[in-house]
């Protein structure tokens, strides 16, 4: 009987190894090192990236002058410009100013910080910002529709399934167990994914926080990428799976210096 069990275990291990090898071989690899090695004076034409170019001049007057570090989001009918203290809505075709979505400040209806992960929901026509530790969602008319709580220690997050959020943990202390925390609308942690690149903080150093972990959405699928690593992951409530390898070779900075 023991011989049969051993044979079965060997067969299972062999099948698992073959499956893992197949996964590795089918994972797309984008060679960024080769691209970086190209001559700096190489050019490409715009038609290689787009079939047409549309120019829209946004309306400019005292009530809608856009500040620095602007992010622009475009939907079917609207153009949204976001700075730290401004959220302006413009007409997609004419560029005419429509309204300021929400007002920056500490009041009950104000917001305190814009978010960089999907502030505009094109399908539902909503905008999400921070009001202290709450994620607040406005309609494009400026009405508050929803509030959820984000746990401490998480700076950016994305709703990867209805009512389920994934948040990146910067790990300033160097001893955080998880790289990504899962939490619900009440801000309660419900799970997470292990930090495989755990490093202790550098001695005699200062941490300067910058967004170094991003969530992306494409065709209803969610993805995650962290600076100083080489893999884009597809993320779901149950799995963090390698999706694409960004091979950077000698241009990949050491992970322990990412802060």
């Amino acid at each position: 009987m023991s011989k049969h069990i051993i044979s079965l275990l060997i067969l299972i291990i062999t099948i698992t190894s073959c499956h893992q090898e197949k996964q590795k071989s089918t994972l797309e690899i984008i060679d960024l090192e080769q691209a970086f090695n190209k001559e700096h004076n190489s050019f490409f034409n715009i038609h290689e990236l787009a079939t047409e170019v549309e120019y829209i001049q946004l309306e400019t007057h005292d009530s809608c002058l856009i500040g620095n570090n602007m992010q622009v989001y475009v939907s079917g009918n609207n153009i949204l410009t976001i700075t730290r203290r401004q959220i302006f809505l413009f007409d997609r075709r004419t560029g005419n100013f429509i309204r300021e979505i929400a007002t920056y400040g500490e009041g009950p209806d104000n917001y305190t910080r814009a978010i960089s992960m999907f502030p505009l929901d094109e399908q539902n026509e909503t905008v999400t910002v921070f009001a202290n530790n709450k994620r607040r969602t406005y309609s494009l008319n400026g009405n508050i529709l929803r509030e959820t709580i984000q746990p401490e220690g998480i700076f950016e997050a994305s709703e990867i399934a209805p009512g389920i959020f994934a948040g990146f943990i910067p790990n300033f202390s160097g001893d955080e167990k998880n790289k990504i925390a899962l939490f619900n609308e009440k801000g309660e942690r419900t799970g997470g994914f292990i930090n495989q690149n755990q490093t202790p903080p550098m001695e005699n150093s200062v941490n300067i926080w910058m967004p170094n972990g991003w969530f992306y959405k494409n065709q209803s699928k969610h993805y995650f990428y962290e600076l100083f690593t080489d893999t884009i992951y597809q993320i779901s409530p149950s799995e963090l799976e390698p999706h694409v390898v960004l091979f950077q070779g000698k241009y990949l900075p050491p992970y322990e210096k990412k802060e």
Side-chain angles (χ1 to χ4, degrees):
M1 178 67 70
S2 60
K3 290 182 179 180
H4 292 296
I5 294 175
I6 293 173
S7 300
L8 181 60
L9 288 174
I10 292 174
L11 179 61
I12 291 172
I13 292 172
T14 304
I15 293 173
T16 303
S17 300
C18 291
H19 177 69
Q20 290 175 345
E21 288 299 322
K22 185 177 180 181
Q23 269 193 326
K24 289 180 182 179
S25 63
T26 57
L27 192 62
E28 182 181 0
I29 299 176
I30 299 175
D31 193 340
L32 295 183
E33 182 181 39
Q34 183 180 2
F36 292 150
N37 281 332
K38 289 185 177 181
E39 295 182 4
H40 294 294
N41 60 353
S42 60
F43 296 93
F44 59 86
N45 295 315
I46 190 66
H47 69 75
E48 297 177 41
L49 301 177
T51 56
E52 60 180 293
V53 176
E54 185 178 4
Y55 175 80
I56 300 172
Q57 181 175 338
L58 300 183
E59 184 178 352
T60 305
H61 54 71
D62 291 344
S63 60
C64 61
L65 294 178
I66 302 172
N68 296 327
N69 301 319
M70 173 182 63
Q71 299 180 55
V72 181
Y73 300 89
V74 180
S75 66
N77 299 315
N78 303 290
I79 296 175
L80 190 75
T81 64
I82 297 180
T83 67
R84 185 184 175 192
R85 300 188 178 190
Q86 296 173 329
I87 305 177
F88 290 158
L89 188 69
F90 297 86
D91 185 271
R92 166 72 174 79
R93 290 170 177 78
T94 65
N96 291 338
F97 176 63
I98 299 175
R99 69 176 58 88
E100 185 175 14
I101 298 294
T103 306
Y104 175 86
E106 294 291 340
D109 296 331
N110 298 144
Y111 74 96
T112 55
R113 179 165 70 91
I115 68 172
S116 58
M117 306 295 174
F118 315 121
L120 174 65
D121 184 329
E122 298 178 29
Q123 183 176 357
N124 297 312
E125 295 193 324
T126 59
V127 178
T128 299
V129 296
F130 277 117
N132 294 315
N133 71 324
K134 295 181 179 178
R135 293 168 60 91
R136 177 175 291 165
T137 300
Y138 293 86
S139 69
L140 296 187
N141 291 326
N143 300 318
I144 298 175
L145 301 177
R146 180 190 188 196
E147 284 188 343
T148 60
I149 297 175
Q150 186 156 300
E152 292 185 7
I154 295 175
F155 290 86
E156 299 293 353
S158 176
E159 189 171 12
I160 60 174
I164 301 176
F165 298 82
F168 174 66
I169 306 173
N171 192 25
F172 293 136
S173 64
D175 57 3
E176 173 63 47
K177 178 182 177 181
N178 289 332
K179 179 191 297 288
I180 296 174
L182 300 178
F183 60 95
N184 59 23
E185 295 183 345
K186 297 179 180 179
E188 300 166 337
R189 288 201 185 187
T190 58
F193 298 103
I194 295 295
N195 186 356
Q196 297 177 339
N197 301 101
Q198 197 170 40
T199 58
M202 298 175 65
E203 296 182 0
N204 302 319
S205 63
V206 176
N207 282 322
I208 301 176
W209 182 81
M210 294 288 287
N212 53 17
W214 286 273
F215 294 93
Y216 301 90
K217 184 178 180 181
N218 183 36
Q219 296 181 348
S220 300
K221 295 181 180 179
H222 295 261
Y223 302 91
F224 171 77
Y225 175 72
E226 182 184 9
L227 277 182
F228 289 24
T229 64
D230 62 359
T231 305
I232 294 177
Y233 293 87
Q234 184 175 337
I235 183 171
S236 69
S238 60
E239 193 172 23
L240 188 66
E241 181 182 3
H243 178 65
V244 173
V245 173
L246 304 175
F247 179 74
Q248 299 170 60
K250 63 183 179 182
Y251 298 105
L252 181 66
Y255 185 83
E256 62 270 15
K257 293 187 179 182
K258 74 183 182 70
E259 305 297 351

